[in-house]
Amino acid sequence: MKYASVTERLADLGGAKWEIHARARRMKAEGTAVLEFTIGEPDVPCPPELMETAARAMLSGRTGYSNGQGEPGLLRALAARYSIRRGRHIGPEQVMCFPGTQTTLYAVFMAIAEAGAEVIVGDPMYATYEGLIRATGATPVPVTLRPERGFRLDPADVAAAVTPDTRAIFLNTPHNPTGAVLTREDIAAISEVARAHDLWIVSDEVYEDLVFEGVHFTSPLDLAELADRSITCASISKSHAAPGFRSGWCVGPAEFCARLLPLSETMLFGNQPFIADMTTQAVSHPSPVAPGMAARFAARATMIHDKLHGTAGLRVHRPDAGMFALVDVRATGLSGEAFAQSLLDAEHVAVMPGESFGAALSGWLRLALTQPDAAIAEGCTRIARHAARFRADAA
């Protein structure tokens, strides 16, 4: 039988990147106690009032078909939210709703990229980004994010990566896996590149509400001069601890949303009205759980830094936002993949190898900050012990 070429383009971009996570889950299912620091699952349940809203909506009959753009009440709520946050008018015609940020990004790139096009994206990047771009037929052009810049995308590097085939600049701020937050100056400089070459800017901002104290978040939508070329994507998965509800959206130019609508209708023919009602409530009020998560994750990042930085040659990058910290294990002589695999075998600690997020993070680990403090402390003890084994061997 014959298959579409997209299956070949994505053949090595799926579950293989999460192999350690899957192996840890198998070990746990077989009875082995594993400390799991792999995925970004919120450390609190979805707020009960949101689940109650969804339940009431279902019981009241909000289980029929919706439409391709989204429920009118949610569109108005998101337009109001972004008008307030971004400081300029955003209308409902500039909003599209999808099941989660991942689906949103897929639809957005299907609408702006195609075979022969290039998309500039920071390296490291979230594990699905390469697949999102390649699914369209376009080519991802990775731009290295350097630790000495705090892993923030350098506008000069973006400018150097532009070719006649470039179609878009793909931002992720706050960034996964590094926790970097682009400054207003960064985005203004990137905007000059986008305007000079007539490029789209797509910004994944799902971690916006998990910015740590003292750090200022800026969106491309904050800059009026980018209004005709910026598309922001987000969801309630992180901000409201509701990843299982799969409720996301994009905000962009009205013309873009109008062109995206037929694609959305082809893919989904509407979202679930009862989830839309829950999301309307969520985005119309400050999150009751995000501030606590941000404070805990920041404190745990500091704990990891204090326990591991400088121990057995390890170095820790402290994030400015999000759910993850990075540990540089290159002093052990191992790749991130080899260290993570052997750590799981020897110490029953599961972490993500940096190589899952791009070549620029080779020799690093990503640790989720979503486990309790005691688990974080014990995990650090085991990681340090494991690193010391290889430092002793090298000596």
Side-chain angles (χ1 to χ4, degrees):
M1 301 297 291
K2 295 182 178 179
Y3 295 92
S5 61
V6 66
T7 63
E8 295 296 327
R9 294 197 298 273
L10 303 184
D12 298 323
L13 299 176
K17 294 189 176 186
W18 304 96
E19 192 276 332
I20 286 181
H21 172 70
R23 187 158 77 89
R25 287 288 172 94
R26 290 195 298 270
M27 291 171 63
K28 291 171 74 173
E30 294 166 358
T32 302
V34 175
L35 292 176
E36 187 179 296
F37 305 108
T38 47
I39 61 172
E41 196 85 51
D43 68 342
V44 292
C46 180
E49 59 269 29
L50 296 184
M51 292 189 284
E52 290 166 2
T53 295
R56 283 195 304 270
M58 281 190 284
L59 292 172
S60 70
R62 294 278 287 151
T63 56
Y65 284 116
S66 182
N67 65 73
Q69 185 181 2
E71 288 291 291
L74 177 54
L75 297 174
R76 290 193 297 270
L78 285 166
R81 169 192 174 101
Y82 277 85
S83 294
I84 293 170
R85 290 195 174 192
R86 306 284 76 94
R88 61 184 182 84
H89 176 71
I90 302 289
E93 71 280 1
Q94 295 175 253
V95 183
M96 292 281 294
C97 297
F98 293 91
T101 311
Q102 184 70 25
T103 308
T104 305
L105 288 166
Y106 178 85
V108 165
F109 279 108
M110 288 297 292
I112 66 172
E114 59 194 345
E118 295 176 349
V119 176
I120 294 172
V121 59
D123 176 10
M125 68 191 79
Y126 180 56
T128 67
Y129 282 4
E130 184 178 355
L132 285 169
I133 296 166
R134 290 198 183 278
T136 71
T139 300
V141 177
V143 171
T144 300
L145 307 179
R146 298 187 297 276
E148 58 269 24
R149 265 188 59 85
F151 289 105
R152 299 188 341 269
L153 188 62
D154 189 329
D157 293 340
V158 173
V162 173
T163 75
D165 294 325
T166 306
R167 186 70 59 85
I169 302 168
F170 187 6
L171 306 180
N172 177 205
T173 182
H175 188 263
N176 177 7
T178 70
V181 179
L182 292 175
T183 66
R184 188 177 186 90
E185 291 73 23
D186 291 333
I187 292 177
I190 291 168
S191 78
E192 292 180 6
V193 178
R195 293 163 64 199
H197 298 278
D198 195 24
L199 306 178
W200 290 101
I201 294 179
V202 179
S203 185
D204 178 353
E205 300 176 357
V206 73
Y207 288 101
E208 177 185 354
D209 284 1
L210 296 183
V211 171
F212 297 164
E213 185 177 0
V215 179
H216 179 73
F217 172 78
T218 298
S219 167
L221 289 180
D222 290 341
L223 279 63
E225 62 269 26
L226 294 179
D228 61 343
R229 66 181 69 252
S230 291
I231 305 161
T232 286
C233 305
S235 74
I236 60 170
S237 293
K238 311 298 185 182
S239 61
H240 291 79
F245 283 92
R246 312 310 303 142
S247 185
W249 57 84
C250 67
V251 179
E255 179 185 359
F256 166 80
C257 291
R259 285 178 173 264
L260 184 59
L261 180 57
L263 176 62
S264 173
E265 291 172 334
T266 301
M267 292 171 57
L268 303 165
F269 206 78
N271 297 331
Q272 302 89 339
F274 62 93
I275 294 179
D277 292 351
M278 166 188 163
T279 307
T280 299
Q281 178 179 340
V283 302
S284 298
H285 305 90
S287 169
V289 295
M293 282 195 289
R296 290 190 299 277
F297 299 159
R300 291 168 188 163
T302 297
M303 181 192 303
I304 290 171
H305 181 273
D306 292 348
K307 289 182 175 296
L308 291 183
H309 192 74
T311 300
L314 301 177
R315 300 185 64 81
V316 176
H317 170 74
R318 282 196 284 193
D320 287 328
M323 296 181 165
F324 308 102
L326 298 179
V327 180
D328 181 352
V329 299
R330 288 175 292 180
T332 65
L334 297 181
S335 68
E337 178 74 26
F339 190 99
Q341 293 283 6
S342 59
L343 178 68
L344 181 56
D345 290 331
E347 296 285 357
H348 297 165
V349 175
V351 299
M352 289 296 291
E355 289 84 355
S356 290
F357 306 99
L361 216 57
S362 179
W364 292 71
L365 309 174
R366 189 193 77 169
L367 277 64
L369 303 169
T370 53
Q371 296 300 313
D373 292 0
I376 295 280
E378 176 62 21
C380 287
T381 297
R382 298 186 194 185
I383 291 169
R385 184 166 61 210
H386 193 57
R389 292 189 183 105
F390 294 97
R391 292 283 283 181
D393 290 346

